[in-house]
Amino acid sequence: MAYDLEEQEQLASIKAWWSKYGNLLTWVLIIALAAYAAWSGWNIYLNKQSQQASQLYDEQQRAVEAKDNAKVLRAATDMQDKFSGTAYAQMSALVSAKVAFDANDTETAKKQLQWVIDHGRDAEYKAIASIRMAGLLLDAKAYDDALKLLAGDFPAQFAGAVADRKGDILVAQDKRDEARAAYQLALDKTDPRSPGRQLIQLKLDAIGGAPAKAAA
């Protein structure tokens, strides 16, 4: 059926517009579709990674219950190699460090904690690893290294634990005044309902109680 003059003008306008912008529009659509496909594929990949990491973490927990320390460490190593971007990698490293410490394998414990400090993506897990590592350095009499590790930024909820560990290190250095200040800060920053407050108070009392107030 023949087009009337108005329809022919509309078609001509559309053809002219398409001739000018059609190629650009096609590429924009292709790029948008490719970006959506990549985003969808990435989410599928992340979900798959998380599921596989979860299964490996469950295997590690069973190894802990079975007291199979070699399998616990192997699971942590596999997690770090294959699923380092997941929270499970940080969790499994902390578990492996605890198991190694209980087995008097402090070098492996340090290695696992250091992995979390260096590669962890969550501030909370990095804080836990740093506080535990400071404890191992305290045991090794590496006091300056321990204090340096605790000098960084920590999430607010760890302020009490960090101050408590600093107090322990300062006591070992025989810096009683500084230790009292650290333990007092630990008490101030620790939830009143926390059972750990009693131990902090005992340590503070053991070195002479509350720190002296500065003269006005």
Side-chain angles (χ1 to χ4, degrees):
M1 183 172 66
Y3 295 107
D4 59 27
L5 182 60
E6 184 179 353
E7 290 174 329
Q8 289 178 8
E9 290 177 348
Q10 291 175 345
L11 285 173
S13 296
I14 293 172
K15 289 179 180 179
W17 184 89
W18 184 260
S19 177
K20 187 174 182 179
Y21 300 109
N23 192 45
L24 175 62
L25 178 61
T26 299
W27 278 108
V28 169
L29 290 173
I30 289 173
I31 292 171
L33 289 172
Y36 176 75
W39 178 79
S40 298
W42 179 246
N43 279 322
I44 291 172
Y45 170 77
L46 289 180
N47 288 334
K48 185 177 180 180
Q49 285 270 297
S50 182
Q51 290 174 1
Q52 292 176 337
S54 175
Q55 293 172 357
L56 183 55
Y57 185 73
D58 288 342
E59 291 180 14
Q60 187 190 47
Q61 291 300 303
R62 289 193 289 271
V64 172
E65 294 175 1
K67 301 187 184 304
D68 188 342
N69 293 359
K71 190 172 183 179
V72 170
L73 178 59
R74 187 163 60 249
T77 301
D78 289 345
M79 193 82 77
Q80 292 157 24
D81 289 341
K82 300 176 182 177
F83 310 113
S84 61
T86 68
Y88 290 106
Q90 301 164 87
M91 293 161 58
S92 70
L94 291 175
V95 169
S96 180
K98 175 64 165 58
V99 168
F101 176 78
D102 290 343
N104 295 317
D105 185 357
T106 56
E107 289 307 311
T108 296
K110 287 180 180 179
K111 182 178 179 181
Q112 292 298 312
L113 292 173
Q114 193 64 52
W115 187 91
V116 179
I117 294 169
D118 292 340
H119 303 287
R121 299 190 179 189
D122 296 289
E124 290 78 9
Y125 290 124
K126 290 169 71 74
I128 293 170
S130 295
I131 293 168
R132 292 180 180 175
M133 176 69 88
L136 294 180
L137 292 172
L138 168 60
D139 292 341
K141 300 184 182 344
Y143 306 130
D144 291 339
D145 290 339
L147 289 173
K148 183 179 179 180
L149 187 60
L150 297 175
D153 293 329
F154 289 84
Q157 65 267 34
F158 290 92
V162 170
D164 181 34
R165 185 53 49 87
K166 284 181 178 178
D168 296 340
I169 298 165
L170 292 165
V171 167
Q173 292 180 302
D174 201 27
K175 297 178 179 180
R176 297 296 182 94
D177 290 340
E178 294 177 52
R180 279 194 289 269
Y183 284 141
Q184 186 60 56
L185 178 61
L187 285 173
D188 294 341
K189 296 295 184 179
T190 300
D191 190 317
R193 297 167 295 181
S194 172
R197 281 181 60 86
Q198 184 175 359
L199 177 58
I200 298 171
Q201 186 65 62
L202 287 172
K203 289 190 287 186
L204 178 58
D205 292 341
I207 58 172
K213 294 182 179 180

